[in-house]
Amino acid sequence: MSNSDHQSPSTLDGNTFVAMCLARAGIDRMFGVVGIPVTSLANRAVGLGIRFIAFHNEQSAGYAASAYGYLTGRPGILLTVSGPGCVHGLAGLSNATVNTWPMVLISGSCDQKDSGRGDFQELDQIKAVKPFSKYSAKATDITKIPSCVFSVLDWARSGRPGGCYLDLPTDVLHQTISNTEAQKLINDAENCRIKEVNLKPIVKHSEIEKAAALLRQAERPLIVFGKGAAISRAENALKNLVESTGIPFLPTPMGKGLLPDNHELAATAARSLAIGKCDVALVVGARLNWLLHFGEPPKWSKDVKFILVDVDKEEIEIRKPCLGLVGDATKVVEMIHKEIKDDPFCLGKSHSWVEALTKKSKENVSKMEAQLAEDVVPFNFMTPMRIIRDAILQLGSPAPIVVSEGANTMDVGRSVLVQMEPRTRLDAGTWGTMGVGLGYCIAAAVASPERLVVAVEGDSGFGFSAMEVETLVRYQLPVVVIVFNNGGVYGGDRRNPEEITGPYKEDPAPTSFVPGASYHLLIEAFGGKGYLVGTPDELRSALTESFSARKPAVINVTIDPFAGAESGRMQHKN
């Protein structure tokens, strides 16, 4: 092997070798920002049939890779340069790990012989990624590339999915190897791959019997499911269980759509009653974390019995449920359904628990619809959200993928927007991450080209990644970004007069932006379509035109700067 950049037809370099391994592993998409030393790697990957989506910022590219992993179930790949490129990539890597989505960050690194000498963009990247990744590998020689590539891909998907890291030193990318040896190394590495990557733990039949008995004996059972069930493709299994038993269900925000939001057993509109009064809760692919109030009083009854279905044994041990079932969400739900079918039961519409939830849901929906019915101008959050909801529903199937971020915008959208199909909602997720919007949009458009992508963004959330509208235009992706423009984080200047003191009191408030910012002009600078709207008719017209065109667009919706409220945790008023 030599350290030459030149390769004859019978030899190949490290860049080509990495691309070959990724292609052999079935990787078909990559996201990233190129530069020294990984530009050739991106070009070689494209030559081998891997679509490379080039971003302006590694942070947005990383969010795209994490969401791509969720939407497809296959590891999303982020490619970055060394040092600061890797550090920027940690945003996406950590987001994937916290959300338990399969993703691999691949970064170039400095020449190994110059390590510790202050080389260009030098960083101990293995050490830097450790808190945010499940597993890391460094290809210290060209011959190690296949085993390193396959191991990070397999670790990203095995057990509880998450983020993994692959380090590619500059000298290794420039080494060369013969085609013959390269093929042998790939074949050998593939034969040694984790064979169990798709095998989840098998639950004992006695535990399934216990779960079925708990549900059968419950007076007020509830089925809760989250994005772990979504990534497992558990929608059909859940539908069969819910409809055969008549047990009401409650999705977490990104679990919405696994069963349609308008399903007669959906308890979303009666969330507080459902979790406050249920006596047995089957929780599938959702963690008892802040999103579910840790499964503790006062939100939950002190006597509730949890049946927790999770692919990770450690998660169950942390939560200490009444019954823990370690396994794949789809398989476990199918086993519970099969066990119940042998001795069937169904609560029925007249069951007191179902009746109570149905009654409360109708009351809360009526209250919300009364608020939504009114056309408030200047816009509050409710009026435009209703118009957007109706426009999305009119599109039918395949339903658009809705991306939502922001404080008030996401909170209101969670209650108003309706998900009818699985994996059609992407939001700030487990970590409450702001700035995911455009990255998620691009991932969704690439992962599901048959679907329109509609982002409903606060102006603050949009600002994190707004430059990526150029990426939308460059790749001509069918993404419509709707910006709720209320002039700041939560709105305009909310300070009391006594708070406006000190030598910099003339500065804008920390929460405020330039009033009336022309976000719609940003995309027009790159050849996309922009709309400025402030009335119901203007918004309807912009939505009709942009949804029909299926081309990159930004709709700048002027919102009353005093319409919002400070928000950080999930606000539930039902």
Side-chain angles (χ1 to χ4, degrees):
M1 281 172 277
S2 72
N3 286 324
S4 166
D5 281 322
H6 303 289
Q7 47 188 327
S8 70
S10 60
T11 65
L12 50 93
D13 68 1
N15 289 295
T16 303
F17 201 19
V18 173
M20 284 171 61
C21 293
L22 290 169
R24 174 71 76 90
I27 297 301
D28 59 356
R29 303 285 187 272
M30 291 173 73
F31 307 89
V33 178
V34 297
I36 297 170
V38 297
T39 307
S40 292
L41 170 51
N43 287 329
R44 305 281 159 75
V46 171
L48 290 173
I50 298 172
R51 189 181 191 195
F52 190 88
I53 308 295
F55 281 68
H56 287 273
N57 179 294
E58 293 98 348
Q59 194 169 337
S60 289
Y63 292 143
S66 69
Y68 188 83
Y70 168 66
L71 291 168
T72 65
R74 304 189 305 274
I77 310 294
L78 169 63
L79 180 67
T80 81
V81 300
S82 48
C86 175
V87 170
H88 291 172
L90 294 181
L93 186 71
S94 56
N95 191 63
T97 298
V98 171
N99 281 308
T100 72
W101 296 344
M103 175 189 159
V104 173
L105 165 61
I106 301 175
S107 295
S109 58
C110 72
D111 195 309
Q112 292 176 96
K113 73 178 187 305
D114 293 325
S115 180
R117 301 172 64 197
D119 195 20
F120 175 67
Q121 294 188 332
E122 183 185 334
L123 173 70
D124 183 345
Q125 291 165 202
I126 294 287
K127 193 173 178 181
V129 305
K130 191 171 183 182
F132 309 107
S133 58
K134 281 181 68 179
Y135 172 82
S136 297
K138 182 169 186 170
T140 54
D141 184 85
I142 194 168
T143 58
K144 303 281 197 293
I145 284 174
S147 59
C148 287
V149 170
F150 293 150
S151 66
V152 292
L153 293 172
D154 289 344
W155 271 93
R157 290 180 61 201
S158 65
R160 162 161 282 186
C164 292
Y165 174 67
L166 174 61
D167 194 274
L168 299 174
T170 300
D171 52 304
V172 173
L173 292 173
H174 291 165
Q175 288 174 1
T176 59
I177 192 172
S178 74
N179 266 313
T180 306
E181 188 178 357
Q183 292 298 339
K184 181 180 184 304
L185 286 167
I186 290 176
N187 290 335
D188 290 349
E190 200 161 42
N191 290 334
C192 294
R193 290 180 75 174
I194 301 173
K195 300 297 183 206
E196 304 83 33
V197 68
N198 287 317
L199 293 178
K200 310 295 183 189
I202 302 298
V203 184
K204 291 178 187 170
H205 185 247
S206 60
E207 293 178 325
I208 296 295
E209 285 179 325
K210 278 185 205 169
L214 280 166
L215 291 170
R216 182 177 283 110
Q217 292 155 16
E219 291 180 20
R220 297 176 302 281
L222 182 69
I223 297 173
V224 180
F225 48 80
K227 58 184 181 294
I231 202 169
S232 171
R233 284 9 188 208
E235 52 267 22
N236 290 332
L238 284 165
K239 182 176 188 288
N240 290 338
L241 180 61
V242 164
E243 294 185 350
S244 65
T245 61
I247 297 175
F249 67 87
L250 179 71
T252 65
M254 281 181 54
K256 276 163 62 73
L258 281 175
L259 272 70
D261 279 346
N262 66 353
H263 194 287
E264 61 184 2
L265 288 167
T268 311
R271 185 180 192 273
S272 296
L273 176 64
I275 67 175
K277 297 293 186 188
C278 72
D279 59 353
V280 174
L282 172 64
V283 182
V284 183
R287 283 169 282 180
L288 293 175
N289 57 16
W290 69 276
L291 283 158
L292 289 172
H293 313 290
F294 308 105
E296 293 173 351
K299 295 289 186 182
W300 295 83
S301 162
K302 63 178 173 44
D303 300 318
V304 64
K305 293 175 180 170
F306 286 107
I307 307 166
L308 200 55
V309 179
D310 201 284
V311 77
D312 184 24
K313 185 180 179 183
E314 284 183 18
E315 176 65 26
I316 287 172
E317 287 170 350
I318 288 168
R319 307 299 174 186
K320 298 181 176 58
C322 172
L323 178 62
L325 304 176
V326 183
D328 174 69
T330 303
K331 289 192 176 70
V332 173
V333 172
E334 285 173 346
M335 291 169 77
I336 293 171
H337 181 238
K338 186 170 183 290
E339 178 65 24
I340 287 172
K341 269 203 319 188
D342 292 342
D343 183 10
F345 70 89
C346 185
L347 302 191
K349 290 179 185 177
S350 60
H351 188 281
S352 59
W353 174 234
V354 176
E355 272 194 338
L357 288 175
T358 302
K359 181 170 178 275
K360 189 65 176 172
S361 291
K362 283 180 178 170
E363 284 173 11
N364 287 333
V365 167
S366 294
K367 283 179 197 168
M368 189 176 75
E369 288 301 326
Q371 283 183 282
L372 288 169
E374 190 183 351
D375 279 344
V376 178
V377 182
F379 278 149
N380 60 7
F381 283 85
M382 301 294 268
T383 298
M385 201 69 78
R386 180 201 79 224
I387 295 167
I388 293 163
R389 176 194 69 183
D390 294 347
I392 289 172
L393 286 171
Q394 281 173 6
L395 292 175
S397 186
I401 293 176
V402 174
V403 175
S404 185
E405 68 173 331
N408 295 282
T409 309
M410 189 171 66
D411 280 346
V412 175
R414 186 185 293 118
S415 300
V416 177
L417 300 178
V418 177
Q419 261 63 55
M420 303 295 285
E421 296 177 15
R423 292 166 296 280
T424 55
R425 180 182 171 83
L426 294 166
D427 66 21
T430 304
W431 229 11
T433 312
M434 290 295 116
V436 294
L438 270 293
Y440 280 10
C441 286
I442 291 164
V446 169
S448 304
E450 75 285 2
R451 294 183 190 270
L452 179 69
V453 180
V454 180
V456 185
E457 305 257 305
D459 49 358
S460 174
F462 176 65
F464 281 79
S465 59
M467 190 63 185
E468 301 300 345
V469 297
E470 187 276 338
T471 308
L472 299 182
V473 176
R474 189 170 7 117
Y475 291 98
Q476 281 298 294
L477 300 174
V479 177
V480 177
V481 182
I482 304 165
V483 182
F484 278 45
N485 183 359
N486 64 350
V489 182
Y490 315 123
D493 191 341
R494 303 294 182 87
R495 296 173 298 177
N496 297 320
E498 59 270 20
E499 293 179 283
I500 306 173
T501 60
Y504 302 106
K505 64 182 180 184
E506 301 304 320
D507 275 357
T511 55
S512 63
F513 300 145
V514 170
S518 299
Y519 295 118
H520 57 294
L521 297 183
L522 186 61
I523 197 166
E524 293 193 346
F526 307 112
K529 180 72 175 170
Y531 302 85
L532 175 63
V533 305
T535 68
D537 285 345
E538 288 170 350
L539 178 55
R540 284 190 197 96
S541 173
L543 292 170
T544 300
E545 188 177 303
S546 60
F547 285 8
S548 174
R550 292 179 64 92
K551 291 193 177 301
V554 170
I555 302 175
N556 185 8
V557 184
T558 303
I559 305 288
D560 181 345
F562 297 100
E566 186 165 349
S567 167
R569 289 182 177 270
M570 290 174 66
Q571 305 298 312
H572 291 283
K573 300 177 176 63
N574 55 43

